[in-house]
Amino acid sequence: MSTAAGNGQAGRATVRLTVAQALVWFLAQQYSERDGTEQRLIPGCFGIFGHGNVAGVGQALLEAKVTGDADLPYYLARNEQAMVHAATGFARMRNRLQAMACTASIGPGSSNMLTGAALATINRIPVLLLPSDLFATRVASPVLQELEDPRSFDVSVNDAFRPLSRYFDRVNRPEQLPAALLAAMRVLTDPAETGAVTLALPQDVQAEAFDWPAELFRRRVWPIRRPVPEPEAITRAVAAISGARRPLIVAGGGVLYAEASGALRRLAEATGIPVADTQAGKGALAWDHPMAVGGVGATGSAAANALAAEADVVIGIGTRYSDFTTASRTAFQDPAVRFVNLNVTAFDAAKHAGIMVVADARRGIEALTGALAGYSVEEAYTARVRRLADGWNKIVDEACHLGHRPLPAQTEVIGVVNEIAGPRDVLVQAAGSLPGDLQMLWRARDPKGYHVEYGYSCMGYEIAASLGIKMAAPDREVFTMVGDGSYLMMAQEIVTAVSENIKLVIVLVDNHGFASIGSLSETVGSQRFGTRYRYRDPASGLLDGGNLPVDLAANAESLGADVLRARTIEEFRVALGKARDAARTTVVYIETDPLAPVPSAGSWWDVPVAETAGLESTRRARQTYEEGKARQRGYL
Ligand SMILES: Cc1ncc(C[n+]2csc(CCOP(=O)(O)OP(=O)(O)O)c2C)c(N)n1
Ligand SMILES: [Mg+2]
């Protein structure tokens, strides 16, 4: 690093660096702090180089490494969308106290990150995206891969990041960088605002030198806020809860990010209020805690859904109330049901006309517990909660031990993964029929043991995110469950795992197509149309011919993983044990029956069916749909 004295301001030390070098130097100096513990805020950078970033950010990362001036380890991914998923998996695993950067080249490299940006923002997970952008000077325009918008030369593909980012900026001049960096860090570390943060970096500007004030590169610590609730909000919440006879807590991801599981357990134990969880909140209470009633909503437990249907006060903690959580607003049926929402964002706290408690989940739960002293649900309610939960647990046991033939059921595969995984190990999933089955059946024993991405439910998240999850928690085994459809969309990060020596256990569940959308298709009267991976049958013209000569296990092997093939549940159990004990990334392949039975959540999901149709199957489905629709509530 060369230091020059003075940039026109006498006595001010400056440092001459390129914009990309300044960015890397700055990122390496950022820390976050919560509960007295400091950690690197941006501990590394995923990337794929192209002409947009190889000479800018790429050069800066190399120079930082070679000179040792800044510490920002670089991880070469195989697909830009995947690397954003890896960054998201990492940050979620670290409870949003750390985030990874992602550098991509101009054009397709950058636009490949859009899906990842949407996923991160929807799930409220911090990621720092550094897409490369068109020349600020515009001298060489149009550059290869540059969007040319005849209405304005100011538009680039990166403008598509704007709605997907919680902070977006384009650094067209070096002078703009310090303010953009500080704003980016503020948003990344704000629990209420966090999500994808995008700094678009014009290709020429990345390489441009500037005399930076030395203080830009000082060590900075960003405290992660734990806002306390207003006493008046607690008073209002307690007034509603203390009159409740059938209260139910809905625990979302916010409980986990705030590390509030212990506080939640104490609240539940002190009051006897049962706890249902969402996909992001699963594990907030261990599955066998007497107050735990399983998942709530469209893919929840029949126990939680029975309690939700009768609840007079619903206490939502750290939840966005997605349509799966509320069963598309049919889960809560008491005519006078009220909501008390504890959330760090006012936006979520206000949902369903709830009594708002805007606060950190842990601080808010502690305040509620104190203020509810002396309140407890009636014994009859507790007995009903236990009866329902015990009944559900028996259903789970049965589903996990079906003895389904000739091909095993996916529910049995889940049972074995749950059995073989240790209490602290992590289950990863995102899309297909697995998230629903997992929310019903998986028995989480640790707050970080269940990682299902169900905000965006993005096929392809599974393997990519697992990479970041394992980087965030190298002391845990990571069990990735992936359907054949998801695997075909994005399996390539197996190569990254192999090259970085990151060990994953990947369970590849092959049912030759979309069990999930196939079953949904039947529900909407569309007879599994277009959901099978089959040859096109010349007679019917449909994809209902024979199975394809596709060997996904061989594919995984070709990417460098060790592969074990299992044909039965017994073989699967043995193979999975081997994979758990192996040192290398191992894929365990198993074929399952897409038509095997799954327990009923006793719930509904709003998927509109054609109002008019020639097909009798559609007409029947529409009738059923209208019955569900009639149960939908406004919660106003
Ligand atoms: C990127 C993306 N495209 C489309 C969808 C819609 N979708 C949801 S599940 C699914 C099929 C998943 O297939 P697979 O991974 O084999 O799981 P299965 O349904 O067989 O359990 C599709 C296409 C999605 N969630 N994500
Ligand atoms: Mg499938």
Side-chain angles (χ1 to χ4, degrees), residues 483-485 509-515 533:
D484 52 322
V509 182
D510 192 353
N511 52 25
H512 305 284
F514 307 162
Y533 289 149

Side-chain angles (χ1 to χ4, degrees), residues 36 39 42 56 65 116 126 134 171 195 207 218 263-264 268 297-298 382 394 399 422 431 434 442 469 478 597 619:
Q39 52 266 305
I42 314 285
K65 180 151 186 64
L134 43 82
V171 181
R218 71 175 169 81
L264 177 66
T382 303
K394 286 198 191 76
L434 276 161
W442 188 264
I469 292 164
V478 173
R619 285 203 297 271

Side-chain angles (χ1 to χ4, degrees), residues 334-503:
D334 185 290
V337 64
R338 293 185 71 190
F339 294 82
V340 173
N341 299 326
L342 164 56
N343 208 294
V344 76
T345 74
F347 175 67
D348 289 318
K351 287 176 178 173
H352 299 161
I355 294 169
M356 297 167 69
V357 182
V358 180
D360 167 73
R362 193 203 278 173
R363 291 243 164 103
I365 292 171
E366 284 168 355
L368 278 178
T369 310
L372 281 167
Y375 168 81
S376 166
V377 300
E378 288 166 17
E379 263 172 45
Y381 186 58
T382 303
R384 174 158 166 72
V385 167
R386 277 326 310 156
R387 232 180 7 257
L388 284 166
D390 291 346
W392 177 252
N393 286 332
K394 286 198 191 76
I395 292 172
V396 172
D397 280 332
E398 281 161 24
C400 293
H401 300 92
L402 283 182
H404 196 72
R405 299 274 186 280
L407 288 174
Q410 181 167 280
T411 56
E412 299 171 278
V413 173
I414 290 171
V416 173
V417 179
N418 212 166
E419 196 183 291
I420 296 284
R424 288 187 73 255
D425 292 344
V426 190
L427 180 279
V428 187
Q429 227 289 314
S433 57
L434 276 161
D437 290 7
L438 285 164
Q439 197 191 9
M440 282 191 195
L441 305 177
W442 188 264
R443 292 172 161 172
R445 291 161 285 183
D446 179 278
K448 300 311 292 181
Y450 181 85
H451 188 125
V452 172
E453 186 285 294
Y454 215 60
Y456 211 38
S457 187
C458 183
M459 291 170 77
Y461 178 81
E462 299 89 343
I463 294 172
S466 296
L467 199 66
I469 292 164
K470 182 72 177 179
M471 286 165 75
D475 58 327
R476 300 178 190 239
E477 291 295 339
V478 173
F479 289 81
T480 314
M481 294 191 77
V482 59
D484 52 322
S486 262
Y487 180 90
L488 278 169
M489 281 212 187
M490 268 210 275
Q492 75 295 324
E493 297 313 311
I494 289 176
V495 182
T496 308
V498 169
S499 96
E500 296 286 353
N501 220 351
I502 290 171
K503 187 225 161 166

Side-chain angles (χ1 to χ4, degrees), residues 140-423:
S141 290
V143 173
L144 173 70
Q145 302 175 315
E146 191 169 279
L147 179 74
E148 275 191 290
D149 188 329
R151 295 165 301 175
S152 166
F153 292 155
D154 184 42
V155 175
S156 86
V157 289
N158 289 335
D159 286 290
F161 282 98
R162 288 180 187 272
L164 309 178
S165 304
R166 299 308 309 263
Y167 179 79
F168 173 94
D169 213 341
R170 185 179 285 120
V171 181
N172 275 315
R173 290 183 59 86
E175 291 90 330
Q176 296 169 342
L177 183 69
L181 285 173
L182 294 176
M185 298 304 112
R186 174 183 64 75
V187 174
L188 287 172
T189 55
D190 185 327
E193 285 194 45
T194 200
V197 166
T198 305
L199 297 182
L201 302 171
Q203 191 182 331
D204 49 351
V205 179
Q206 287 181 44
E208 207 173 319
F210 187 73
D211 294 317
W212 308 94
E215 62 191 348
L216 178 63
F217 307 109
R218 71 175 169 81
R219 188 179 192 276
R220 262 166 233 269
V221 181
W222 300 84
I224 310 265
R225 299 189 292 125
R226 283 196 183 276
V228 293
E230 292 169 289
E232 295 81 359
I234 291 295
T235 303
R236 285 190 288 269
V238 166
I241 298 168
S242 55
R245 303 195 59 205
R246 298 174 308 280
L248 176 70
I249 292 171
V250 174
V255 175
L256 303 187
Y257 306 143
E259 295 170 20
S261 298
L264 177 66
R265 196 180 62 242
R266 287 187 288 279
L267 171 63
E269 287 171 359
T271 58
I273 303 175
V275 177
D277 45 30
T278 70
Q279 287 278 17
K282 197 176 179 81
L285 273 197
W287 75 275
D288 54 355
H289 187 280
M291 248 71 250
V293 295
V296 66
T299 53
S301 77
N305 284 336
L307 294 169
E310 305 164 359
D312 51 1
V313 174
V314 177
I315 307 162
I317 309 182
T319 176
R320 314 163 44 226
Y321 286 114
S322 82
D323 67 336
F324 266 75
T325 297
T326 68
S328 302
R329 297 185 186 234
T330 61
F332 311 108
Q333 283 295 337
D334 185 290
V337 64
R338 293 185 71 190
F339 294 82
V340 173
N341 299 326
L342 164 56
N343 208 294
V344 76
T345 74
F347 175 67
D348 289 318
K351 287 176 178 173
H352 299 161
I355 294 169
M356 297 167 69
V357 182
V358 180
D360 167 73
R362 193 203 278 173
R363 291 243 164 103
I365 292 171
E366 284 168 355
L368 278 178
T369 310
L372 281 167
Y375 168 81
S376 166
V377 300
E378 288 166 17
E379 263 172 45
Y381 186 58
T382 303
R384 174 158 166 72
V385 167
R386 277 326 310 156
R387 232 180 7 257
L388 284 166
D390 291 346
W392 177 252
N393 286 332
K394 286 198 191 76
I395 292 172
V396 172
D397 280 332
E398 281 161 24
C400 293
H401 300 92
L402 283 182
H404 196 72
R405 299 274 186 280
L407 288 174
Q410 181 167 280
T411 56
E412 299 171 278
V413 173
I414 290 171
V416 173
V417 179
N418 212 166
E419 196 183 291
I420 296 284

